[in-house]
């Protein structure tokens, strides 16, 4: 990660408005657009093409055609795919400063985050997969196998799934657009990317770079957006689409699974979370809790894996709350262009109202508001939310169970480790979690009993291109990253041969 020395040409910038369909950058059929709002100023920053059913239909047809005709030998030539994705990565790197301004404008992300997850990391990811794909064995000899009295030699062929719809959310749009498109392209698929309408430019810019700066054949990579989710939904039920990869809420994930069922599409679902941080009795609260509380406020709490439920030993509640309250009251948030801020606004007025409504309901049903809970008086413009700490939270209450997606931390006391583990496991989600202890072995012993897709013990991180990321229970199906993540975009064909 590079450290910026100046803000460069900081300032609001509108992104690409056009869709990428069948190799052409085009307006929506009929020319409609929708507004893109800057959440830090509440002003219209620009527009994006409002794709119609006809636009989505043309994109699906073009993808089907390109995949079935094996355009540019795409399905069979990994070297060509790697060459094209490397061009895409180089185009992203060249556009880096433009993208930085666009991302801060449309997400309201603190600019500091563009030196990590919002921009630097996705560019790194786009550069990682080409060599991975070059080294991947798409045809493997697996030796001899016996069954039903016969012995045969076998090979496994890893083949692309086909036309893949990639649907992404707004909280880390470039990162998720890359994560859902690049490995899938390198696996040999034709990808139709559908970015979230609150942050369309991160995806449309990717389309522009693909069209102008790469040799990707028409129809192999397309980007379509619509302000109407019912229009986008055709990607999830059209029989010409073979697979849907989705990152977003569990509620929408359920709808997509239902829509994909009649045509038995392959699906990968990266869904919501309600991650728990179990702080063990032997932990040093003065080092653990500032990070725990501050971490949730970064990205304004709009991160799927953030551990928003903190469990503290009952005897240490007062000590812990004092540390967390002080952290949250001094947490640097506000103007996203200021490098010293780590929190910006919520993405929208609707999202802010939802988060503040959840906090008010929690207080009405018995939780104690320790700090925050409203709109900051010093930031009258922009969708800001005060860092908010709630204690006495019943883990079975709505705020203890439902994803908040705002800078809100809840604290619940526990008496025994078994009780803490039971609370952590008692949600419909299972995306991530954390355990803190004065002893790594103790943290690991507890981490082994928490049922999630990933978990960090004593600040150990699972976040890496080589580690599988995903959820259990209603946090999702399948994995992103690592070998497992790449193989999600492939089908496996077993071939039997005579044993001679
Ligand atoms: P969302 O579910 O509302 O929307 C996600 C995407 O789905 C958007 O592009 C939206 O336009 C589209 N969509 C909505 N309805 C659709 C339909 N019927 N058919 C097809 N597409 C449809 O999510 P959001 O509010 O954009 O993002 C926040 C959510 O994303 C949170 O729940 C968060 O936990 C989750 N998330 C999960 C991960 C992960 O890795 N598990 C990562 C980031 C975000």
């Amino acid at each position: 990660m590079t450290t910026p020395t100046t803000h460069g040409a900081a300032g609001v910038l509108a992104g690409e408005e056009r869709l990428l369909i069948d190799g052409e950058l085009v307006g929506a059929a009929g020319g409609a657009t929708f507004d893109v709002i800057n959440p830090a100023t509440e002003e219209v920053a620009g527009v994006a093409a409002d794709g119609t059913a006809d636009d989505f239909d043309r994109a699906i047809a073009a993808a089907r055609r390109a995949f079935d005709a094996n355009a540019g030998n795409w399905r069979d030539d990994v070297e060509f795919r790697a060459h094209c994705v490397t061009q895409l990565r180089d185009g992203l790197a060249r556009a880096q400063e433009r993208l930085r301004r666009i991302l801060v404008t449309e997400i309201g992300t603190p600019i500091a985050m563009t030196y990590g997850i919002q921009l630097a990391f996705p560019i790194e990811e786009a550069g990682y997969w080409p060599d991975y794909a070059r080294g991947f064995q798409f045809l493997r000899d697996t030796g001899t196998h016996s069954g039903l009295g016969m012995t045969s030699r076998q090979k496994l062929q890893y083949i692309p799934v086909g036309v893949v719809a990639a649907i992404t959310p707004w909280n880390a749009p470039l990162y998720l657009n890359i994560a859902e498109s690049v490995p899938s392209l390198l696996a040999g698929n034709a990808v139709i990317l559908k970015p979230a309408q609150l942050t369309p430019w991160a995806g449309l810019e990717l389309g522009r770079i693909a069209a102008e700066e790469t040799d990707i054949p028409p129809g192999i990579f397309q980007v379509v957006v619509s302000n109407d989710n019912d229009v986008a939904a055709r990607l999830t039920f059209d029989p010409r689409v073979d697979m849907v990869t989705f990152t977003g809420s569990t509620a929408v994930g359920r709808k997509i699974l239902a829509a994909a069922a009649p045509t038995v599409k392959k699906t990968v679902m990266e869904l919501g979370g309600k991650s728990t941080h179990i702080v063990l009795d032997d932990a040093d609260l003065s080092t653990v809790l500032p990070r725990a509380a501050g971490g949730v406020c970064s990205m304004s709490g709009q991160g799927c894996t953030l551990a928003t439920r903190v469990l503290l030993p009952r005897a240490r509640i007062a000590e812990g709350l004092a540390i967390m309250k002080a952290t949250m009251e001094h947490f640097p948030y506000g103007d996203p262009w200021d490098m010293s801020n780590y929190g910006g606004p919520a993405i929208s007025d609707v999202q802010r109202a939802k988060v503040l409504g959840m906090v008010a309901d929690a207080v009405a049903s018995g939780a104690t508001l320790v700090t925050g809970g409203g709109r900051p008086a010093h930031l009258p413009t922009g969708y800001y939310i005060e860092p908010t700490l709630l204690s006495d939270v019943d883990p079975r209450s709505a705020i203890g169970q439902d994803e908040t997606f705002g800078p809100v931390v809840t604290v619940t006391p526990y008496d025994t480790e078994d009780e803490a583990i039971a609370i952590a496991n008692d949600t419909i989600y299972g995306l991530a979690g954390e355990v803190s202890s004065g002893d790594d072995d103790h943290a690991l012993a507890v981490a082994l009993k928490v049922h999630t897709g990933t978990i960090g013990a004593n600040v150990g991180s699972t976040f890496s291109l080589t580690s599988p990321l995903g959820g259990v229970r209603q946090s999702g199906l399948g994995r992103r990253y690592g070998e497992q993540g790449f193989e999600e975009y492939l089908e496996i064909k077993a071939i039997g041969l005579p044993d001679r």
Side-chain angles (χ1 to χ4, degrees):
M1 196 190 300
T2 46
T3 308
T5 49
T6 70
H7 292 187
V12 170
L13 186 67
E16 173 61 56
E17 307 176 15
R18 293 167 297 174
L19 314 173
L20 172 59
I21 300 179
D22 203 9
E24 303 285 332
L25 294 168
V26 292
T33 60
F34 63 90
D35 291 342
V36 180
I37 308 292
N38 177 341
T41 63
E42 305 181 26
E43 289 169 354
V44 176
V47 298
D50 191 2
T52 63
D54 188 46
D55 295 315
F56 279 70
D57 191 58
R58 285 198 305 120
I60 296 169
R64 190 74 264 164
R65 212 166 37 241
F67 183 81
D68 291 345
N70 200 12
N73 206 21
W74 186 254
R75 293 196 314 242
D76 300 323
D77 189 348
V78 66
E79 192 49 50
F80 178 55
R81 301 199 296 268
H83 154 79
C84 290
V85 170
T86 302
Q87 290 177 314
L88 189 65
R89 183 256 163 228
D90 291 348
L92 283 166
R94 279 190 294 273
Q96 194 163 174
E97 293 314 312
R98 171 181 166 79
L99 286 167
R100 194 182 315 284
R101 293 172 62 194
I102 289 169
L103 291 165
V104 175
T105 302
E106 72 172 351
I107 317 169
T109 177
I111 192 168
M113 299 282 169
T114 64
Y115 292 88
I117 189 161
Q118 297 287 13
L119 177 60
F121 185 78
I123 295 177
E124 181 190 334
E125 175 169 10
Y128 167 78
W129 288 112
D131 272 348
Y132 181 89
R134 283 188 178 105
F136 188 85
Q137 273 188 286
F138 288 90
L139 186 61
R140 299 175 190 186
D141 199 332
T142 62
T144 54
H145 299 257
S146 298
L148 302 177
M150 287 171 63
T151 298
S152 300
R153 231 167 18 95
Q154 279 186 15
K155 285 185 184 291
L156 293 183
Q157 184 188 16
Y158 289 72
I159 51 177
V161 183
V163 172
V164 181
I167 301 174
T168 57
W170 46 259
N171 64 324
L174 186 65
Y175 155 60
L176 292 161
N177 292 337
I178 295 285
E180 291 206 11
S181 303
V182 159
S184 181
L185 287 168
L186 283 162
N189 296 297
V191 175
I192 305 172
L193 173 66
K194 205 301 282 179
Q197 54 269 51
L198 289 170
T199 54
W201 291 331
L204 296 174
E205 284 289 329
L206 197 58
R208 178 187 64 75
I209 294 168
E212 293 178 346
E213 301 183 38
T214 78
D215 298 325
I216 299 176
I220 290 293
F221 181 56
Q222 304 179 88
V223 186
V224 284
V225 289
S226 170
N227 202 22
D228 182 347
N229 287 331
D230 290 341
V231 170
R234 57 204 314 115
L235 290 173
T236 67
F237 59 72
D238 191 297
R240 295 168 293 177
V241 174
D242 300 301
M243 173 174 178
V244 181
T245 153
F246 172 74
T247 304
S249 62
T250 297
V252 173
R254 288 188 196 108
K255 280 195 205 173
I256 291 178
L257 284 169
T263 47
V264 196
K265 296 186 197 314
K266 186 168 184 181
T267 56
V268 170
M269 298 273 134
E270 301 290 351
L271 307 178
K274 188 74 185 174
S275 301
T276 306
H277 189 156
I278 302 177
V279 181
L280 297 171
D281 198 23
D282 56 4
D284 174 3
L285 300 193
S286 65
T287 55
V288 167
L289 292 181
R291 188 185 149 275
V296 172
C297 299
S298 68
M299 292 179 76
S300 313
Q302 300 174 144
C304 54
T305 54
L306 297 174
T308 55
R309 303 164 103 201
V310 173
L311 306 186
L312 288 177
R314 191 175 298 279
R316 304 190 71 186
I317 281 281
E319 180 195 354
L321 285 176
I323 295 169
M324 294 170 82
K325 178 173 186 286
T327 303
M328 295 178 84
E329 289 179 351
H330 292 97
F331 184 78
Y333 73 105
D335 180 4
W337 298 100
D338 182 340
M339 263 304 289
S340 61
N341 281 332
Y342 280 84
I347 189 70
S348 67
D349 201 13
V350 171
Q351 183 65 17
R352 175 173 60 185
K354 183 188 148 214
V355 172
L356 293 180
M358 288 178 77
V359 171
D361 288 349
V363 173
S365 51
T368 302
L369 184 64
V370 180
T371 190
R375 294 165 61 158
H378 68 290
L379 293 166
T381 306
Y383 307 126
Y384 292 96
I385 300 172
E386 290 176 315
T388 299
L389 181 60
L390 292 165
S391 68
D392 304 312
V393 170
D394 174 353
R396 294 298 309 157
S397 66
I399 198 86
Q401 290 286 314
D402 299 338
E403 188 174 45
T404 320
F405 234 55
V408 180
V409 182
T410 68
V411 174
T412 298
Y414 69 86
D415 293 307
T416 65
E417 273 177 28
D418 283 349
E419 184 192 355
I421 293 162
I423 292 171
N425 287 336
D426 185 23
T427 86
I428 62 164
Y429 298 109
L431 188 58
E434 292 193 43
V435 183
S436 293
S437 160
D439 170 27
D440 289 350
D441 290 339
H442 188 188
L444 174 62
V446 172
L448 289 173
K449 295 181 183 164
V450 178
H451 189 40
T452 50
T454 67
I455 188 158
N458 278 354
V459 197
S461 170
T462 56
F463 195 83
S464 128
L465 291 167
T466 50
S467 308
L469 184 154
V472 300
R473 293 194 290 260
Q474 295 186 36
S475 284
L477 299 169
R479 292 292 178 271
R480 192 190 302 142
Y481 302 142
E483 191 183 328
Q484 298 86 348
F486 189 70
E487 290 184 13
E488 297 287 0
Y489 298 108
L490 294 160
E491 301 278 21
I492 301 179
K493 181 163 78 187
I495 305 169
L497 296 162
D499 183 28
R500 56 177 174 248

